[in-house]
Amino acid sequence: MGTSYDRNLGMDRRGFLRAGTLAGAGLLATSTRAATPSDTEPARVRAQRALGKTGLRVSDVSFGGSRLREGQEDVVRHALDRGITYFDTAESYGDGVSERVVGKGLGGRRNDVIVGSKVTAAATGRKAEFMQALEGSLRRLGTDRIDLYFNHAVNDVARMQNPEWQAFVADAKQQGKIRFAGMSGHAGNLVECLDWALDHDRVDVILVAHNFGQDPAFYQRLLRDFDTIAVQPELPRVLAKAHARGVGTLAMKTLMGARLNDMRPYETGGATFAQAAFRWVLAGANVDAVVVSMTGREQIDEYLGASGATALRQGDLPLLARYAGARRDDWCRHGCGLCETSCPQGVPIGEVLRTRMYARDYGDADFARREYALLGAGAAACLSCAARPCAGACPHGLAPEVLAGATHRLLA
């Protein structure tokens, strides 16, 4: 039986799994070097990093509030006590619940931290609509200004080109209601949108999906003799461009699906897969900080074990390689989009499978349903599709003709 060639890894499946086995045995650990501080120190933020040329400094591991629920103000306070200084939320997270919880959790310490929020500003939206959304976020957060305000989940350049958005940003800054503006994104047109925004000086800061599983440098380091093709091969170039221009760069989706329990049997010496994944991103020259969803005290303490990192530790690469090998056939790569051109109904397959990730990997069905609802019809068309034109369209071996419809049944 022949081997199948994987376009993303630049090697066959058997070769990659063999490499993952070697990594799991620790045979590739010599390519890493130790980093401090000691694991015996209490979990807390050990580094504050400059956010581009904004003049702001944020904790290198920062708080993502996408999955906060009512009554979790104690989680926010625990993050504060551990030294986290950037708190990221959005009006759409829990229909405003996240913003309210963050606002209450910060209490009288608002001036000690940086707060970011987001609005989905349509290409045809009006300045008055954006200002109304901002006012709502300010009320829920209990503050008079938002430090970083993002156009949320941008996957269409027209949204950043909208003169109404540009006029809104100028007015909101002039009124002191926002300090800096930017865009977030994680889908197929991310690079195009970032290039335009950077070239036209439309962003002070960006929040983008970026993890070791999408980084060609990861595979090059693991398998030096193979050529590699990344899902978004231009993303490293754009991140370098942003850094060179002084645009603050925050990374999200850094855990490649966050199947943390899958890795517990292989974690040794107090180091965890999540910490290794964060160290991979933080060791890069073009990312200022990691933003990750935090929902509990123990989780916060685990994640902060990576704070202060400037390099991988011994043992990190084997963990990452094992995880990548295990997930390669069931993880939808953010920003790939290669299957979507096959669908005559225009189903946003990548976004549909992103919500599946929230339900299956994160174990958060409520959040997954809320995100799925934002997709409109989602994958409804898949239920009556007999032709299955997307079958075989995924170069990574996923079956969108099965998974998209199943996701709709689960989350619609």
Side-chain angles (χ1 to χ4, degrees):
M1 184 175 181
T3 57
S4 59
Y5 189 82
D6 187 286
R7 290 168 52 192
N8 185 49
L9 303 182
M11 65 179 299
D12 63 66
R13 173 179 172 82
R14 185 178 303 162
F16 181 79
L17 292 180
R18 178 178 178 275
T21 300
L22 292 175
L27 299 181
L28 298 177
T30 55
S31 63
T32 64
R33 58 190 177 90
T36 55
S38 166
D39 291 330
T40 61
E41 296 178 17
R44 66 174 298 100
V45 171
R46 298 186 177 98
Q48 301 285 340
R49 292 187 171 189
L51 187 61
K53 62 181 180 182
T54 63
L56 304 177
R57 296 186 68 82
V58 298
S59 48
D60 58 353
V61 178
S62 288
F63 189 97
S66 63
R67 295 164 57 206
L68 284 174
R69 292 181 168 84
E70 293 283 8
Q72 288 193 305
E73 291 83 4
D74 63 312
V75 177
V76 176
R77 287 190 287 269
H78 185 75
L80 267 171
D81 292 341
R82 289 294 193 255
I84 290 177
T85 55
Y86 176 58
F87 291 81
D88 183 273
T89 182
E91 66 164 6
S92 62
Y93 295 162
D95 292 328
V97 168
S98 175
E99 288 180 327
R100 287 193 293 271
V101 172
V102 168
K104 292 177 183 177
L106 294 178
R109 298 177 63 182
R110 171 65 181 90
N111 292 334
D112 298 333
V113 300
I114 306 301
V115 173
S117 194
K118 314 179 192 74
V119 61
T120 304
T124 56
R126 308 291 295 179
K127 181 176 72 171
E129 299 170 17
F130 307 149
M131 191 63 75
Q132 183 178 14
L134 172 59
E135 295 288 357
S137 291
L138 291 170
R139 284 194 303 273
R140 289 186 290 273
L141 285 163
T143 186
D144 61 353
R145 85 270 182 204
I146 292 175
D147 301 293
L148 310 178
Y149 199 59
F150 297 91
N151 197 336
H152 189 29
V154 174
N155 198 39
D156 178 2
V157 173
R159 288 178 53 191
M160 295 303 296
Q161 293 173 335
N162 182 0
E164 293 287 313
W165 169 255
Q166 297 164 25
F168 156 74
V169 168
D171 283 0
K173 284 184 175 180
Q174 191 277 326
Q175 295 171 25
K177 294 178 180 178
I178 66 173
R179 297 175 65 186
F180 301 99
M183 61 162 279
S184 69
H186 45 58
N189 297 322
L190 175 61
V191 168
E192 177 188 1
C193 296
L194 288 172
D195 263 330
W196 189 91
L198 291 168
D199 291 343
H200 293 82
D201 195 25
R202 294 292 192 262
V203 286
D204 305 305
V205 61
I206 57 176
L207 172 62
V208 298
H210 178 54
N211 60 59
F212 69 94
Q214 293 176 302
D215 191 340
F218 170 70
Y219 301 105
Q220 290 165 358
R221 186 169 186 174
L222 189 65
L223 306 160
R224 297 176 186 276
D225 295 333
F226 292 87
D227 293 328
T228 60
I229 301 174
V231 172
Q232 289 183 323
E234 291 295 293
L235 185 57
R237 172 189 62 77
V238 177
L239 294 180
K241 180 198 288 190
H243 179 75
R245 297 187 180 187
V247 173
T249 303
L250 302 168
M252 60 176 170
K253 303 291 188 293
T254 48
L255 292 175
M256 192 181 162
R259 293 289 291 271
L260 303 185
N261 288 337
D262 291 355
M263 299 303 296
R264 296 306 187 201
Y266 309 106
E267 296 171 343
T268 59
T272 71
F273 159 72
Q275 294 165 359
F278 299 153
R279 280 191 284 265
W280 178 271
V281 177
L282 292 172
N286 299 318
V287 173
D288 299 323
V290 165
V291 176
V292 58
S293 294
M294 298 182 180
T295 58
R297 295 180 178 217
E298 290 184 1
Q299 185 185 62
I300 291 170
D301 291 349
E302 176 189 347
Y303 289 172
L304 289 181
S307 181
T310 58
L312 288 177
R313 296 177 55 175
Q314 185 162 331
D316 282 350
L317 190 59
L319 276 177
L320 299 180
R322 183 181 290 277
Y323 186 89
R327 295 305 314 277
R328 66 188 301 275
D329 289 336
D330 72 348
W331 175 61
C332 180
R333 281 73 172 166
H334 298 296
C336 172
L338 294 177
C339 63
E340 294 182 356
T341 57
S342 67
C343 178
Q345 301 298 321
V347 172
I349 299 172
E351 290 294 275
V352 169
L353 297 189
R354 175 176 62 86
T355 64
R356 171 182 177 265
M357 176 189 71
Y358 296 140
R360 182 173 179 269
D361 296 356
Y362 290 23
D364 195 335
D366 290 339
F367 179 64
R369 290 188 186 98
R370 290 195 298 269
E371 290 292 300
Y372 189 77
L374 298 176
L375 301 181
C382 299
L383 301 184
S384 58
C385 178
R388 308 201 327 170
C390 63
C394 176
H396 313 295
L398 273 69
E401 73 279 9
V402 174
L403 298 177
T407 301
H408 181 80
R409 293 187 185 94
L410 177 67
L411 301 177

